[in-house]
Each structure stands twice: as C-alpha cells, then as structure tokens.
Amino acid sequence: MYLLPPSQNHDCQKHQEKDADFMTLCQSLQVIDAVCDRAWTIWKAVQASVDKVLDTQKRLWAACLFVAVIDLEVASFTFTQILKAVDLNVKQFLGLLKKMDVNLDTISTKVNSAVTRLEKKYDVSRALYQRFEKCVGISGKEILRSCWTMFLLAKGRALQMEDDLVISFHLMVCVLEFFIRRCPPSLLQPLYQSVISTAQSPPTRTSRRNQSKAKPRQAPPEVDVQLLETLCKENDCSVEEVKSVYQTSFSAFLDSMSLSGTRDLPQATDLSKQYEELYFKSRDFDSRLFLDNDETLLTPKVEPMPVERTPRKNMPEDVVLIPPQTPVRAAMNSIAQLRVDLITSGDQPSSNLAVYFKNCTVDPTEEVLQRVESLGLLFSQRFGQAVGPRCVGLGKQVPPGLNTAHYTEEFKLLNDSTFHTSLLACALEVVMATYGGSTFKNGGYSNGGVPVETDLCFPWILDVFQLTAFDFYKVIESFIKAEPSLSKDIVKHLERCEHLIMETIAWREDSPLFELLKRTREEGPVEQAEPPATLNQPLQHNHTAADLYLSPVRPSSRTLPAPESTAPPSSQPSAPAPHQTPRHPKSNSLSLFYKKLYRLAYMRLKMLYTQLLTSHPELEPIMWTLFQHTLQNEYELMRDRHLDQLMMSAMYAICKVKNVDLRFKTIVTAYKNMPNTNQETFKHVLIREGQYDSIIVFYNLVFMQKLKTNILQYASPRPPTLSPIPHIPRSPYKFPNSPLRVPGSNNVYISPMKSPTRMSPVMTPRTRILVSIGESFGTSDKFQKINAMVNSSDRSLKRSLDMSSAPKPLKRLRFDVEGQDESDESKPGEESRLIQKLAEIGSTRTRMQEQKMKDDAESEKDKP
C-alpha cells in the first residue's frame, strides 16, 4: 500500500460536531480540512434519505469524501486507497455513489463525469488484463509483473486516450514483443521459441572474439517482424495497425525510457517506481493489483448468457462449442470484418456507380472525388488533434458506403453536396464506432496523467463537417439498407445516433428543423408535420434517400395541383372556384422525422410510465395526448432542450391535474433507471437564454406557463380528444447476417450465405463448423457432424414430447415486413420441425422451377 505524504492535523475543536469515527476515517486518508467539512455537509444532506442498513456509515462517509475531493479539485487520496479503507471493490463503490444521488444536486456534473471516466477505465483495464493472462506466452512471475507494469506505464504516457480498448490492446502486443524477444528461451512457450529470429540469439564465444577485433556490436533491430506477426495472428489483430502503434507511440516511449537498442529487460523496481508516479498523479486505481487478484479490483463473476445447445451426453465429442466472446475478442472480430469489407470494396467508384455518373447531365465524378479528399483531410486533421497522430490514418478507412449504386433513385442526388457529406460522415462514424465503440465517449489522459477532453462520440463528426443533424438523419436508414454487411452492433449504434438526433441534437438553436416547422404552420391550421391520425398505422419504410434529400427545404415557386372534383355533373351553372393560395410541397423528410419522433416519444413515455403508474392505466393515454400535443403545437419548447424533459413534465402535469401523488423526485429516480439517460437531462435544463436549472424549475417557469390552459382542460367535463396510440413495430433495421436458430433444434442455426469475397479469411472456433447451403463442403466429416447434431436434437425433442402429457408449445418465428413475431402451436405428433425446415430449404428451388416449367407449358398450349 502506497500512502501520500501526511497532511495537516485536524483541529479537534473545529470538528467537534462531527462523528469521531468519521474523523478517524478522514485522518486515515489524510484529507485536508476543506474536504472534511465538505464531505460532512454532503453527509448531513443525504443522511435521512440513504439506506443505512445495506451500507455502513463508514462506507457512506467514504463516498461523501470522494465526492468532496472531486468537487473541490484537490489532490488527496487515490481511488485504491479509499477502496481499501472501507473494504469495497470498484463496482461496489461506484454503485454506492449512484445510490447516494437521492437529490437532484447530490452528485454534480463534475463528479458524474469523473465516475463515468473511472468506470470506463476500469472496464477497459480489466478486459486488457484478462487478455494479458491468456496471450502473454511467458512464464516467470517477476517477468510477467515487469511486462504488465511496463504496459501500464506505456499506456499512461504514450497514449492520449488510454481508455481506448483497441489502441491499448495493440500497444500491449508491442510490449509483449519487446519482452518475448529479450526473455530466455526457457521461459517462452514453444510457439514463440520457434519464431525468435536467429539474429536475436546471443552471439557465440567465437563471434564475440571476432567482434572485439572488428567494429563495435550493432544494436539489435527495433522490432522482430516475424515475432510481431505471430503475436498478431494469435490475437486476431492487424499487423499493419500494430506496427503503426509501434512506430508512432511505442518507439517514442522506448526512447524516453532509454530502452531503444538495448538487449536487456528493464528493472522491475524502476518500472514500478515510475508507474507509481503516474498512479499518484491520476489518483485512480492501482492497476498493478490485477496481478495479485486484489479484492478491490475483483468483480462478482457474471455467468455468460446460456446458449441453447444439444445436451452434452447426446453431443458428439468432436463438436466445437462456441466460447463466449470477451470485449477484446469482440472488438478484434468487428475490426477484422470491417477490414474485409474495405479491401473488397476499394477506394474508387465501382463500375455501376461510374455508369450512373456518366449518365448525369454533368458528370460529378471529379467533384465527388475532390469533395471526399478535402473532407477526408479535414477529418484526419481534426481527428489527429483529438487523439494524437497515431490514428490519423484511421480517417482514410472509409467503408463502402460511398461506392454503391443504391442511392441512384434520381440523378440529382448524385450531385447533391449535402448528401455526399452526410454519406461520408456516416461512413466515418461506422469506422470510429467499430474501432472505438463507447470508448470514444469519455475523456482520456495526456502524457502527464491529467484528464483531457477527447470526446469523439456522436455528434462529433457533425461538428467536424459542419453538418446539421437533420441532414444527417436523412441518410441513416438508407445507409443501413445499402450495407448488408454491417454488424448488428454497428446497426444498433447508427439507430442510437438516429434516436439522439430526434431526442435533442436536431433541436439545437440553428437547426433547419424549426424553419421547416414554421413554414408548415404558415400553410394553415390544417397542415401538420405529421397528422396524429396516422400514428396507429404501421410505419412504412419504402422511402429512399432521394425522397428525403430532394424534398423541399425552402419555399419554392412550385405549387401543388388543385384536387380534382368528384361531384356528379349538374345542369346548374357552377359557382366560380375560390382563389387558391399556392401551397408549397410537403416535406417528406419532415414527415418521416415526425413519424419516428412520435413513436420514439411514446416508447420513452411508456417505459417510464410502466415503472411508476401501472395502478393508474387510465392516465397513460392522457399523458401521451399532452406530450403529443406539445411536440406538434408547442415545438419551440424543444429548442435547445431534450425530448425527455417534455416527457417528464407532461407526466407530472397530468398527475397534478388528476390529483395523483407523484413527485418529480420519484420521476427522476425512475428515469435514471431507463436506458440511454444522463443526469444532465434533469439537472441542466434551459430556462431562458443563458440560464439553466433543474427540471422542476423548468416545469414551473416554462412548461406549465406555456401549457396551463391545455393542462387544465384535462380536469374539465369536456377534455381534449385523446391522441391515437402509435403503432410500435420492432426495430426497422433488420440484421440479415445474424444466424437464426432452426425451429425445433438445439444447436443448428441458419444465416444468409455471404459473398466469397466478404467471408473472413481467418477461421475461428465460431466459424469452423459453419456450413453454407449451396456451395462445396469439401470433406464429408462436416456432414457427419451436422447429422449428429440433427439426430441428437430430434431425439431430444421426441423424448420431451413423450415424457410430457401437456407439452409446452414451441415458438416459430416468422419475420414479416414490420419485423413482428407470430407463434404457431406445435402438434405433439408431428415430425421434427428441424427436418421439415431443412427439407423446405432444399426443395424450394425445385418447386419454383417445376412451377415455372408447368406455367410455360400451359402458356404454349393457349397459343393459337
């Protein structure tokens, strides 16, 4: 345990009103008086609200001290020290902090950011250590400790974002290469013994004599390429990317440590001492303790989600079980798939796209290429400023979104600069999400260990290209439809980006959305962004990118044609038609935006309502009506605000007018348990220009004042007409590449056949036993394994039917256009659904061919 130098002694008289045990804890952690006083004030504020049965006072005091240190920005204890003082691990302590936030102002934004960064860093460090244990390839406790400590030191000094999982793992591979190359062969695994270059072997006695007579011994090469390639192959990572990290980050670190060109391993004590300095600067957890299985860094083991499989006693011995993916393995697999897509797509327009370009009135090829190049340079510059020069090349790895002909519904779209920028931004967002995922959402560290803001999460890319969120939203759905190779995680990420746009980003002050809404309102009271009457109808997804980008954005001279008369002919002279004011075409992009907005808003309201008011089912449609009315008619309330702020206000208003006891504190507590929420949503709400306050103040001064008349109508004998409940389909974004379990089977899955050029060249345990219907299998042993699994699952199904008088119906999923499920009752005596399904797959093409031949024959007979 490492302690900071002792601080000043506490004045006993000054702290006499504080608990003696509290003061003992403060003294053990050597905190200054200001921290002590601030922590005691926090404790008194939350004392009556927290549950002191589950958590001792001492642990709650420790949480108050942690909050005080962050708020006051003073150098004090480290995170590990406070964990050891109260015998808690990282997850337990962070959970305690979240429970303490019983009031709206207990945990400040500063503390919340620090906790989020700390938790992310811990999750990344834990995942990296788990991987380190599996791939180190070295025996010897002291060398392992030195290797891990050197990696921690390099990560803290060389990486600008040390909580970046992918880049950190690449750096770990560099450190492993450094140690393996210098370790005695007896301590290495056989694989690495065989790949160590002969040039790295110690010189013989004869060669040493010869060298003494000749020129001085040359320094060893900077990196053993063969060893590095072996490490990358064993860990499924890109050699090029690891080399890039070696050249841009690790080499500079070795130079700073005076380790370049040396054949010796660094001293363990020197590494530990230097890491200690970094640890005390950051004041977080001591990652060296992973080596000791220290209780502060342990977390309760979570069993992986069960995978349906044939019972072991019925399973052939040689069938490979699919292991659960670790965070590092999942990241490497996603990157590998992306790289395959990039290689197969190329960086020039495809032949189909080139034909479309040439058929345009003005060939946009050169203009598009120049735009891509200029935007790419801008991205690389901004990306390098944010995360350092090591990742500048990442900006050039654009997936094939710009190289498809799926966006050619109208040639005008090929010349639309906003569409081009949106498409490139979406492609870059996919690359960043694949490499960084959620690691881009938090701040990183500078070389000195001081936190810096490097927030590259969405909508960072929009700010880089000066692209409005409303324009970006138009491309998301088309991009997903045009890129069937996108992984499920990436599709979910893009869908979350779409939700963020609808929740808050599209409602920023300078958004074109307000101009569109204003123009719609000026057309008259009949015109609406999207009539509520369509809410209970299924959401259609037959629109194209051209429908959205080429729909009117600003007033146009075009007018809509007058509706044709359907009245019957009459002998009476017709009255002159009234003068019709020209109307602008309706915006398709605005209409779709509001369709999706209404459905998202209702889902959020339903989720919160389910937690709080299930005993009052009559209130849900009333709350939704007020919520929907606000979005339709009082959309200015959304300017620089969040959708959930109006949702919580609408819920509170209806409970007030209906005399249902529901406090904002209760609403906020339930809201924090919802997915994709942030405490800033209810703690930092715009009141008026430049002034922000809590959700309660917003309700009293803004929401209620604007909607008072409408709210009171719900207590009158003639309340407003209820809005239709939106039709909520499953996610419109399908995952065609996701395997589907064959109904009735235990361990057989079917997925669409991939193009040979898109199949990963690396066979993993997950892909070794995959079989594709319609291509050559090679050897017959694969069929035998499939037959074994099929037979075993069929026997298991029949046995379960025989043993139960009331069999539980199996569910068969049928995926329709809207993505809904239907369940079919299973009959106890019917054949195995697995056999039926495989038979259907094998005979479909034959039936189609036979039917076509029959139709052709009949058509021939009918000819004269």
Side-chain angles (χ1 to χ4, degrees), residues 435-447:
Y435 274 78
S438 59
T439 61
F440 286 131
K441 294 184 178 181
N442 307 305
Y445 281 86
S446 64
N447 291 345

Side-chain angles (χ1 to χ4, degrees), residues 163-164 271 555 572 738:
D163 58 354
D164 186 312
L271 292 174
Q572 298 291 334
S738 302

Side-chain angles (χ1 to χ4, degrees), residues 642-662:
H642 195 288
L643 180 69
D644 291 348
Q645 294 164 356
L646 271 62
M647 173 189 69
M648 289 185 279
S649 297
M651 175 174 285
Y652 182 80
I654 296 301
C655 286
K656 269 291 194 181
V657 81
K658 292 295 185 179
N659 296 318
V660 175
D661 184 19
L662 182 66

Side-chain angles (χ1 to χ4, degrees), residues 680-693:
E680 290 299 290
T681 304
F682 56 83
K683 288 187 175 182
H684 195 71
V685 189
L686 177 66
I687 307 302
R688 57 181 60 91
E689 185 177 357
Q691 180 186 351
Y692 293 83
D693 213 310

Side-chain angles (χ1 to χ4, degrees), residues 159-178:
L159 298 187
Q160 192 167 330
M161 290 175 59
E162 62 167 314
D163 58 354
D164 186 312
L165 179 63
V166 174
I167 302 299
S168 296
F169 180 66
H170 290 165
L171 181 64
M172 179 190 292
V173 175
C174 297
V175 175
L176 288 173
E177 187 277 337
F178 179 88

